[in-house]
């Protein structure tokens, strides 16, 4: 089983990768087995960007949920491998750092747009 960090073209940023189908012939999207044309959002580029941001937030929440589950398993002594807890915590931390960095850049861009004179 491959580590999600190894599949990412941007090393260290979870959730930023492209899956391919079994034969490797067409890319899969994060939401299902559709091509880009079939999964395109009707509307503006902002719509698709907003949907991608929401997906990244959901991914971050999933990593935090998995980390909490691993903490509980470790506290109850149900896990044989404490490394799983460490990996889950690192994934959650990296995802949160990425999400905060994206949010900060978006706020910075918004403030810059608001300061522009028309």
């Amino acid at each position: 089983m491959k580590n999600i960090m190894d599949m990412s073209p941007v090393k260290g940023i979870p959730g930023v990768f492209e899956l391919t189908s079994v034969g490797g012939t067409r890319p899969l999207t994060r939401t299902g087995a559709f091509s880009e044309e079939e999964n395109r959002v009707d509307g503006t580029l902002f719509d698709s960007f907003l949907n991608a941001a929401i997906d990244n937030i959901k991914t971050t929440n999933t990593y935090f949920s998995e980390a909490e589950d691993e903490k509980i398993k470790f506290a109850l002594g149900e896990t044989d491998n404490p490394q799983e807890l460490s990996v889950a915590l690192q994934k959650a931390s990296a995802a949160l750092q990425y999400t905060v960095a994206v949010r900060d850049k978006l706020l910075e861009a918004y403030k810059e747009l608001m300061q522009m004179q028309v």
Side-chain angles (χ1 to χ4, degrees):
M1 185 163 129
K2 289 185 178 180
N3 184 352
I4 194 167
M5 297 294 184
D6 296 337
M7 295 188 306
S8 175
V10 183
K11 296 295 180 195
I13 301 177
V16 181
F17 58 90
E18 179 178 81
L19 297 172
T20 57
S21 64
V22 176
T25 56
R26 69 177 188 154
L28 298 175
T29 62
R30 288 181 44 78
T31 57
F34 299 107
S35 67
E36 284 186 37
E37 294 80 21
E38 294 169 328
N39 198 35
R40 188 165 292 154
V41 176
D42 291 336
T44 63
L45 179 62
F46 181 76
D47 291 338
S48 61
F49 183 75
L50 182 61
N51 288 336
I54 291 171
D55 286 343
N56 283 336
I57 291 171
K58 288 179 182 178
T59 302
T60 301
N61 287 339
T62 301
Y63 286 149
F64 270 99
S65 177
E66 290 172 0
E68 284 296 319
D69 291 344
E70 288 297 326
K71 282 183 190 178
I72 292 170
K73 286 180 186 177
F74 184 76
L76 294 175
E78 294 177 357
T79 184
D80 295 332
N81 189 0
Q83 184 181 4
E84 291 175 6
L85 173 61
S86 178
V87 169
L89 290 172
Q90 288 296 323
K91 283 171 44 173
S93 176
L96 180 63
Q97 288 175 359
Y98 175 71
T99 303
V100 169
V102 169
R103 181 209 60 186
D104 290 345
K105 288 294 183 180
L106 286 173
L107 286 175
E108 184 180 318
Y110 174 76
K111 287 177 184 177
E112 189 172 323
L113 284 172
M114 290 297 110
Q115 291 177 356
M116 285 184 177
Q117 294 181 1
V118 180

